[in-house]
Amino acid sequence: MALEQDIAKLIEASNDLTTVVDNKIVDIDAKVASKSAEVDSLITNTNNKVDSKLDQLAVIGNGGYGSRAINVANFFTNDSGVTNLHFKLPFNAATDHAMFHLHIKGYAYGEGKVVDATMVGYCYKAVEDVINIDAVGTHAPHVYKGSDGHIYGRLSFSNQYYLTVSVDTMRVGNGRLYKHGDIEIIRSQQETL
């Protein structure tokens, strides 16, 4: 009988030990999950802070007149052949008053040329057109009102192979600073859209 009692006590002790271990495992799992959530939150917060700082670096100046927004649009292709890049601005001649200043920089590798053009103008609702235009630089810069009423800038390339461009803007007159996504770059063989 003593042996049976010892075995029963041993089984009870083993069960108690299993319960303690199971409880510890649950406790450890909960602590790991909690710390994992803390680490994930810290990483997210740090990434948000870094992204915010990088967004701030995209603007040179205090946001007022003469401030510049850097790389509000960009483009790359490794296709070859003739093309035009059309820079669709975020306003329509029938509804908007907005002055603009674009500086487009890059490298036209297929042509072995620097891309460097500046385009300015005024989307003027009163006449439903773009006025007081100037466009200077490489690749025959041109500003026009498209068939959809939007204002466009255009650069022409004889060979678009490994073409890379970046668009910076400046706040001028009654214009504003542009953010990434405000200017759409459209590649087309057509001279106007």
Side-chain angles (χ1 to χ4, degrees), residues 7-20:
I7 291 173
K9 287 180 182 178
L10 185 59
I11 290 173
E12 185 179 330
S14 174
N15 288 340
D16 290 346
L17 182 58
T18 300
T19 301
V20 168

Side-chain angles (χ1 to χ4, degrees), residues 60-179:
I60 298 174
N62 63 4
Y65 301 110
S67 293
R68 293 183 291 148
I70 307 303
N71 194 28
V72 298
N74 51 52
F75 175 84
F76 169 79
T77 184
N78 60 3
D79 291 341
S80 60
V82 175
T83 198
N84 293 301
L85 289 186
H86 300 270
F87 302 87
K88 183 177 181 179
L89 302 180
F91 35 78
N92 188 294
T95 58
D96 298 309
H97 286 295
M99 295 177 188
F100 59 90
H101 178 286
L102 307 178
H103 188 188
I104 303 161
K105 299 174 286 194
Y107 182 29
Y109 170 79
E111 299 175 347
K113 292 183 180 178
V114 168
V115 178
D116 192 356
T118 302
M119 302 175 196
V120 295
Y122 183 23
C123 175
Y124 192 47
K125 174 172 81 171
V127 296
E128 295 188 13
D129 208 348
V130 58
I131 63 171
N132 292 357
I133 298 168
D134 194 16
V136 297
T138 66
H139 298 88
H142 180 69
V143 176
Y144 67 95
K145 179 178 88 170
S147 60
D148 61 358
H150 281 270
I151 307 305
Y152 291 82
R154 181 190 72 222
L155 295 178
S156 300
F157 298 89
S158 62
N159 187 351
Q160 62 184 315
Y161 186 61
Y162 277 85
L163 171 63
T164 306
V165 299
S166 175
V167 181
D168 300 342
T169 66
M170 180 187 297
R171 183 174 179 203
V172 294
N174 69 349
R176 62 177 173 85
L177 282 176
Y178 302 96
K179 62 183 184 295

Side-chain angles (χ1 to χ4, degrees), residues 16-77:
D16 290 346
L17 182 58
T18 300
T19 301
V20 168
V21 169
D22 288 344
N23 289 340
K24 283 295 181 187
I25 290 172
V26 168
D27 186 45
I28 290 169
D29 287 346
K31 286 180 181 176
V32 167
S34 173
K35 289 300 179 185
S36 179
E38 283 181 39
V39 169
D40 289 345
S41 177
L42 179 63
I43 289 170
T44 299
N45 289 337
T46 302
N47 286 342
N48 289 340
K49 287 178 185 176
V50 169
D51 289 345
S52 175
K53 292 296 181 188
L54 289 174
D55 287 342
Q56 291 171 15
L57 292 176
V59 174
I60 298 174
N62 63 4
Y65 301 110
S67 293
R68 293 183 291 148
I70 307 303
N71 194 28
V72 298
N74 51 52
F75 175 84
F76 169 79
T77 184

